[in-house]
Amino acid sequence: RAEVTSVIDVNTCAAARLGSDCVRTHITIEAPVLYAPSEEVPVVLQRRTASGEFEQAIAPSLRYSTACNYDTFCDSEQPDIFLLMHQPLAALQCDFSFCVVPADIKDAVILSVSPDSGSEVGGTQVSLRVSNLPALDSSDVIFIVHDGSVESRGQVLSLRVATGSSLQTGVESVLLLQTPARPGTTNRQVIMTLRCSLLGTMRKISFAFKYERDISGPATVVMFSPQIIHVSQPLEIAIRLGNFP
């Protein structure tokens, strides 16, 4: 038998139309412990009337599911979050955080960055290949650009984890980032940082990136010197260009 924890009558009509058909009763129950998991259990509500008789109503069924067996789920000897995420029942019955051993999460290493420079107005898409990145999804990664004391946040467009990756054998990931506009005015060479969180375990990796001037239109000659030379005179000419990288 379930325990009724609350009974609340709610009017669902406007004040001008209140009547017996407008009242809805919200009943909250505490489901009992049953030893027949994975079965649908009918819910029957009974109410004693003023005459002492019982009225009966049938509510939607409850479905019980098996509690998580964490010894089996996590494999207590070598719990591996990257392998467990491919188990379809995991999200329904078990919490990954119980299977994470922080000591098993290795330091991430950047294997390649392409490209390593881009426009100062931002929008450059950077592909980053990383070994042992502690992240399952792009939402686990924060992308920050530092220029001295100035900080700006970029976008993590996607994260792809290679099939078969594990904490024991190694995790291979590819990140696609989008740079923000150049955060400061002093340096074109900046440090870009990824802050990663895997169920409470934090890691940080960084790489260098160069912001290039955003150039449009043809180059121009600002000045050159000397402006007059003799026909037979070998001289070096200094030329200063504008709108030229």
Side-chain angles (χ1 to χ4, degrees), residues 70 73-76 78-82 84 95-106 134 136 167-168 197-203:
Y70 280 102
F73 176 69
C74 294
D75 181 11
S76 57
Q78 289 186 338
D80 199 311
I81 188 69
F82 286 91
L84 292 176
D95 185 345
F96 283 131
S97 61
F98 286 96
C99 302
V100 175
V101 178
D104 288 344
I105 300 178
K106 304 172 184 176
L136 298 173
L167 294 176
Q168 304 302 319
S197 173
L198 183 61
L199 299 174
T201 301
M202 305 294 294
R203 292 289 188 273

Side-chain angles (χ1 to χ4, degrees), residues 34-42 61-66:
L34 295 181
Y35 297 97
S38 301
E39 294 184 6
E40 290 192 354
V41 179
S61 298
L62 289 176
R63 183 172 180 85
Y64 283 76
S65 60
T66 307

Side-chain angles (χ1 to χ4, degrees), residues 22-96:
C22 294
V23 178
R24 300 290 183 268
T25 302
H26 293 180
I27 301 174
T28 304
I29 66 171
E30 182 177 324
V33 176
L34 295 181
Y35 297 97
S38 301
E39 294 184 6
E40 290 192 354
V41 179
V43 178
V44 179
L45 300 177
Q46 290 183 334
R47 182 179 73 91
R48 188 191 295 272
T49 64
S51 62
E53 298 179 349
F54 284 96
E55 290 182 344
Q56 184 171 288
I58 305 297
S61 298
L62 289 176
R63 183 172 180 85
Y64 283 76
S65 60
T66 307
C68 179
N69 183 332
Y70 280 102
D71 287 336
T72 302
F73 176 69
C74 294
D75 181 11
S76 57
E77 293 182 357
Q78 289 186 338
D80 199 311
I81 188 69
F82 286 91
L83 294 178
L84 292 176
M85 72 178 181
H86 297 295
Q87 297 187 14
L89 295 180
L92 298 177
Q93 298 176 354
C94 301
D95 185 345
F96 283 131

Side-chain angles (χ1 to χ4, degrees), residues 11-196:
N11 288 319
T12 59
C13 300
R17 299 180 56 194
L18 288 178
S20 59
D21 292 337
C22 294
V23 178
R24 300 290 183 268
T25 302
H26 293 180
I27 301 174
T28 304
I29 66 171
E30 182 177 324
V33 176
L34 295 181
Y35 297 97
S38 301
E39 294 184 6
E40 290 192 354
V41 179
V43 178
V44 179
L45 300 177
Q46 290 183 334
R47 182 179 73 91
R48 188 191 295 272
T49 64
S51 62
E53 298 179 349
F54 284 96
E55 290 182 344
Q56 184 171 288
I58 305 297
S61 298
L62 289 176
R63 183 172 180 85
Y64 283 76
S65 60
T66 307
C68 179
N69 183 332
Y70 280 102
D71 287 336
T72 302
F73 176 69
C74 294
D75 181 11
S76 57
E77 293 182 357
Q78 289 186 338
D80 199 311
I81 188 69
F82 286 91
L83 294 178
L84 292 176
M85 72 178 181
H86 297 295
Q87 297 187 14
L89 295 180
L92 298 177
Q93 298 176 354
C94 301
D95 185 345
F96 283 131
S97 61
F98 286 96
C99 302
V100 175
V101 178
D104 288 344
I105 300 178
K106 304 172 184 176
D107 291 334
V109 177
I110 296 176
L111 303 177
S112 66
V113 179
S114 180
D116 58 4
S117 63
S119 171
E120 64 184 356
V121 300
T124 301
Q125 292 190 2
V126 179
S127 178
L128 207 67
R129 194 162 63 91
V130 185
S131 176
N132 297 321
L133 182 74
L136 298 173
D137 186 75
S138 58
S139 60
D140 298 329
V141 183
I142 299 175
F143 175 31
I144 298 174
V145 180
H146 302 273
D147 179 8
S149 61
V150 182
E151 184 176 285
S152 184
R153 183 168 295 190
Q155 287 184 274
V156 181
L157 300 179
S158 66
L159 168 61
R160 187 175 72 253
V161 180
T163 303
S165 292
S166 72
L167 294 176
Q168 304 302 319
T169 62
V171 179
E172 295 296 327
S173 304
V174 177
L175 278 158
L176 184 61
L177 312 174
Q178 183 166 295
T179 62
R182 181 182 168 199
T185 58
T186 305
N187 301 313
R188 294 192 178 276
Q189 192 78 28
V190 298
I191 298 299
M192 295 188 167
T193 299
L194 300 178
R195 295 176 184 170
C196 310

